[in-house]
């Protein structure tokens, strides 16, 4: 089985979606939908919940790195998640 090297993956930058996370399976599946183009690589985000479970895509060590901090009362549009 081929191993993928872990690295930082930018998902959102300046409020714009820039990328996605993939394990080996989902990267290959996404590439098969692009008529043979092999430009999507695994981001090494495949995890198995238990020895009996099937591996799936899951984030780890998520870092929210904002260029500036804004008080929540100043935000007009957005979503809140915890």
């Amino acid at each position: 089985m081929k191993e993928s090297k872990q690295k930082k993956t930018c998902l959102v930058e300046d409020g714009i979606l820039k990328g996605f996370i993939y394990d080996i399976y989902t990267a290959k599946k996404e590439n098969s939908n692009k008529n043979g183009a092999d430009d999507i690589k695994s981001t090494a985000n495949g995890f198995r919940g238990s020895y009996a479970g099937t591996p799936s895509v899951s984030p780890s060590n998520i870092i929210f790195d904002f260029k500036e901090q804004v008080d929540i009362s100043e935000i007009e549009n957005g979503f809140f998640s915890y």
Side-chain angles (χ1 to χ4, degrees):
M1 182 161 157
K2 187 177 177 182
E3 224 176 275
S4 296
K5 195 171 191 177
Q6 288 186 340
K7 61 180 180 171
K8 288 184 178 182
T9 303
C10 179
L11 300 177
V12 178
E13 185 177 349
D14 295 328
I16 299 170
L17 181 65
K18 295 287 187 175
F20 298 93
I21 55 174
Y22 296 96
D23 62 359
I24 291 173
Y25 173 77
T26 57
K28 285 183 179 181
K29 186 176 177 182
E30 188 68 25
N31 285 324
S32 70
N33 293 333
K34 294 187 175 230
N35 298 326
D38 197 23
D39 54 344
I40 296 176
K41 306 291 183 202
S42 171
T43 57
N45 286 97
F47 293 92
R48 186 185 302 257
S50 73
Y51 72 93
T54 303
S56 62
V57 178
S58 180
S60 66
N61 302 328
I62 295 177
I63 298 172
F64 295 95
D65 188 18
F66 299 101
K67 292 181 180 175
E68 62 182 75
Q69 293 194 6
V70 177
D71 188 69
I72 196 163
S73 64
E74 298 177 49
I75 298 173
E76 293 179 18
N77 296 314
F79 70 93
F80 180 75
S81 175
Y82 72 101

